[in-house]
Amino acid sequence: MPLPRDLSPVIENGLCIACGACVRADPSLKLEFDDERQMYQPDAPGGAEAAAVCPSVRVDFEDLQRRIFGPDAKITSQGVVDSVLLAQSTNYQRNLRASSGGLIKQLLLELLSRDEVDGAIALGHVEGLRFEPRVLGAQDVDSLPGSIYHNVAFDRALELLETHSGRYVLVAIPCQLEGIYNYIHSRRPELAERIYTTIGLICGWTYSHHALRAICEYEGVDFDSIRDVAFRGGGPVGKLRLHTPRGEHQVHRRVGYGYQVAFDRSFNVPRCHVCIDHQNFLAEICVGDAWLPSTVGTRTGISLVVCRTRFASDVMATLEARGDIQATVVSEVEIEESQTRRVTYGDFSYALAEYLRESGGYAPEMVGPNRPAAHLWSRNKVARFQRENQRKLELQRARRYRWLYWRKLLLEAGPLALRYVRWLFVRILRIKSLLGAREEIPREKLARFR
């Protein structure tokens, strides 16, 4: 399929993820914040140079995986995998702040202690809801924000790689890495040497700023007064914390009805719906929440860690031998179990992309290693989702958040009730399968975790 001549289809369909690849390829472009969509996107369509690196145009996963992991790397339906672990930092407070095992900060501290590493490029807080990539040292690690769920501009990451000599650990979500590697391997291949390793977040979704505007309306918080935001912290699931001059406002992420509305999938940036790379195929070390019933009894959460190379596995072994982490080896089955097969294999996303193309719409060209294992949703289910999603987007852009609040209660009561029932069984009663269809991880494997 020929590439578009510019970024027009990406902009028209709101598919930008603000990775910044286009603005490095075409210096006439810049990322701007679109007030209606409440997300970042390029200020103009640019030209062929911008389209050639955009991950919302095309991502050649097979080519990029071979370049990153070597021509002989074995690629499975889970990508390149050397080992899979459940792990948790032995620093209790670090875990508690992270809500998911504290592994990213523990990994950064280890890697930044090495002479061959000159720093880490990761998101730092600027002001309000603005976060941007910065070069950080070991002294900055424990002040790093946790996972940021709202859309941010990531263009400075490539700028830092281009303007700083040395070698860096890069922390990014999947689509950000896709854009960075698209740009590097098509325009600046020498920059690959400046990436010492990558720590990739296993990503669920990114949300437009409409999500935070909606929750502020539901909770009576002045959106414009937000000084900082934390989406996790305080336990395995954690709470959304909004910091304003009046203090900290907390929202329960599992029980709060307002949170279920404001962080409904319709508030995702549109590109998330066609993303087939939630488990971060291009990152060397992948870290995410271990959403397993076997792990719900822990007080601070456990991380699922996918090591895609022997180097990554060795780093984890070093941390465990030194007593910085507790870890236990599991299998690739836990990736699917933790993240759900719909996310792991792109069951929905591949189906939606096909539907959009067949109905005359636009979707990025992305075929990942998980495509052969995908069980595509039916066309009717995808079409129904798309109709509902478009209606919700219209209400969001008109900032009719109260309509969305009552709409979910009146029209989606069944699925909402099912979510709460599932939460009750898995998180409270700790019943993984009423039919006993799934095997739990043996208790002795988790005995050391807190």
Side-chain angles (χ1 to χ4, degrees):
M1 182 183 297
L3 291 175
R5 291 178 296 178
D6 57 29
L7 295 174
S8 294
V10 175
I11 296 173
E12 288 166 7
N13 292 279
L15 291 172
C16 179
I17 46 83
C19 67
C22 65
V23 302
R24 304 310 297 175
D26 183 348
S28 71
L29 298 178
K30 65 179 180 179
L31 293 179
E32 65 177 8
F33 190 76
D34 183 270
D35 187 63
E36 182 182 35
R37 287 175 170 150
Q38 287 288 293
M39 53 179 275
Y40 289 93
Q41 62 183 28
D43 62 343
E49 297 86 356
V53 299
C54 177
S56 289
V57 171
R58 181 169 67 186
V59 182
D60 187 338
F61 285 101
E62 183 174 359
D63 177 66
L64 290 177
Q65 286 176 110
R66 298 294 184 196
R67 290 176 182 271
I68 295 165
F69 304 118
D72 299 324
K74 181 182 177 182
I75 301 175
T76 72
S77 61
Q78 307 277 13
V80 178
V81 178
D82 185 76
S83 64
V84 183
L85 303 96
L86 297 180
Q88 183 186 68
S89 168
T90 53
N91 184 312
Y92 180 79
Q93 290 303 319
R94 186 171 291 140
N95 291 355
L96 199 61
R97 288 193 295 270
S99 288
S100 58
L103 255 292
I104 290 181
K105 291 180 179 179
Q106 207 65 61
L107 282 163
L108 284 173
L109 288 170
E110 161 59 25
L111 295 167
L112 288 168
S113 71
R114 302 184 176 192
D115 292 338
E116 62 268 33
V117 176
D118 295 281
I121 297 176
L123 283 181
H125 184 234
V126 180
E127 60 180 357
L129 298 179
R130 187 180 164 204
F131 294 77
E132 67 178 22
R134 293 178 171 178
V135 174
L136 307 164
Q139 71 279 3
D140 305 307
V141 167
D142 276 320
S143 63
L144 285 173
S147 298
I148 301 302
Y149 289 7
H150 65 273
N151 183 238
V152 299
F154 207 70
D155 51 316
R156 196 158 182 262
L158 273 169
E159 179 186 345
L160 292 170
L161 283 173
E162 289 188 313
T163 57
H164 287 62
S165 59
R167 306 196 73 193
Y168 298 88
V169 179
L170 178 60
V171 183
I173 61 175
C175 54
Q176 292 164 349
L177 277 185
E178 293 163 11
I180 285 169
Y181 277 125
N182 268 0
Y183 175 79
I184 286 176
H185 288 294
S186 65
R187 300 295 297 267
R188 296 287 305 277
E190 72 277 11
L191 293 182
E193 289 301 313
R194 294 189 182 171
I195 299 178
Y196 179 76
T197 189
T198 49
I199 300 175
L201 284 76
I202 298 175
C203 180
W205 322 99
T206 294
Y207 295 87
S208 75
H209 292 212
H210 280 299
L212 287 168
R213 285 187 175 277
I215 197 67
C216 283
E217 183 168 318
Y218 304 153
E219 297 289 328
V221 176
D222 178 11
F223 173 84
D224 294 319
S225 72
I226 294 176
R227 291 179 173 176
D228 198 358
V229 61
F231 289 88
R232 304 292 296 278
V237 177
K239 295 180 180 179
L240 170 66
R241 291 174 165 82
L242 303 170
H243 300 272
T244 73
R246 298 179 62 181
E248 179 183 89
H249 188 91
Q250 298 185 9
V251 182
H252 198 293
R253 295 180 60 245
R254 282 290 182 266
V255 177
Y257 173 68
Y259 188 92
Q260 301 305 314
V261 180
F263 289 86
D264 173 90
R265 287 179 60 207
S266 66
F267 284 88
N268 297 148
V269 297
R271 210 279 198 162
C272 289
H273 297 307
V274 290
C275 176
I276 51 83
D277 182 28
H278 292 282
Q279 58 177 298
N280 222 322
F281 293 125
L282 305 182
E284 191 163 13
I285 310 172
C286 305
V287 181
D289 289 288
W291 295 122
L292 300 166
S294 311
T295 67
V296 298
T298 62
R299 296 190 297 274
T300 59
I302 294 178
S303 295
L304 176 74
V305 183
V306 181
C307 300
R308 300 205 180 277
T309 64
R310 175 50 50 186
F311 166 83
S313 297
D314 288 345
V315 171
M316 292 295 293
T318 297
L319 287 170
E320 186 176 18
R322 202 166 52 225
D324 291 334
I325 66 170
Q326 302 282 7
T328 186
V329 175
V330 291
S331 70
E332 294 181 24
V333 171
E334 271 65 51
I335 302 176
E336 177 186 336
E337 180 69 20
S338 174
Q339 305 303 312
T340 74
R341 70 157 295 115
R342 173 178 155 272
V343 171
T344 303
Y345 300 117
D347 293 354
F348 168 79
S349 300
Y350 282 119
L352 177 59
E354 284 189 10
Y355 170 79
L356 290 171
R357 294 189 193 99
E358 290 170 0
S359 58
Y362 174 81
E365 184 182 330
M366 294 190 294
V367 178
N370 53 358
R371 180 60 182 86
H375 298 162
L376 270 58
W377 281 30
S378 71
R379 183 182 176 87
N380 286 342
K381 286 178 69 176
V382 170
R384 190 183 313 118
F385 168 86
Q386 184 67 2
R387 288 194 301 270
E388 287 295 302
N389 192 57
Q390 289 303 311
R391 177 55 180 153
K392 290 178 180 179
L393 285 175
E394 291 171 5
L395 292 170
Q396 287 174 33
R397 291 167 185 172
R399 302 195 181 179
R400 301 175 75 174
Y401 305 128
R402 285 289 171 188
W403 282 62
L404 288 161
Y405 186 95
W406 291 109
R407 192 178 192 277
K408 179 174 278 290
L409 191 63
L410 297 173
L411 300 182
E412 300 176 35
L416 182 64
L418 184 60
R419 173 175 291 191
Y420 281 116
V421 169
R422 188 161 51 243
W423 174 81
L424 172 67
F425 275 97
V426 175
R427 309 301 296 184
I428 304 299
L429 301 179
R430 301 177 190 173
I431 298 174
K432 190 175 185 181
S433 170
L434 292 176
L435 300 177
R438 301 170 184 166
E439 291 186 8
E440 294 284 358
I441 297 171
R443 290 187 178 182
E444 59 269 20
K445 276 200 166 191
L446 303 175
R448 295 175 298 163
F449 293 96
R450 289 183 297 190

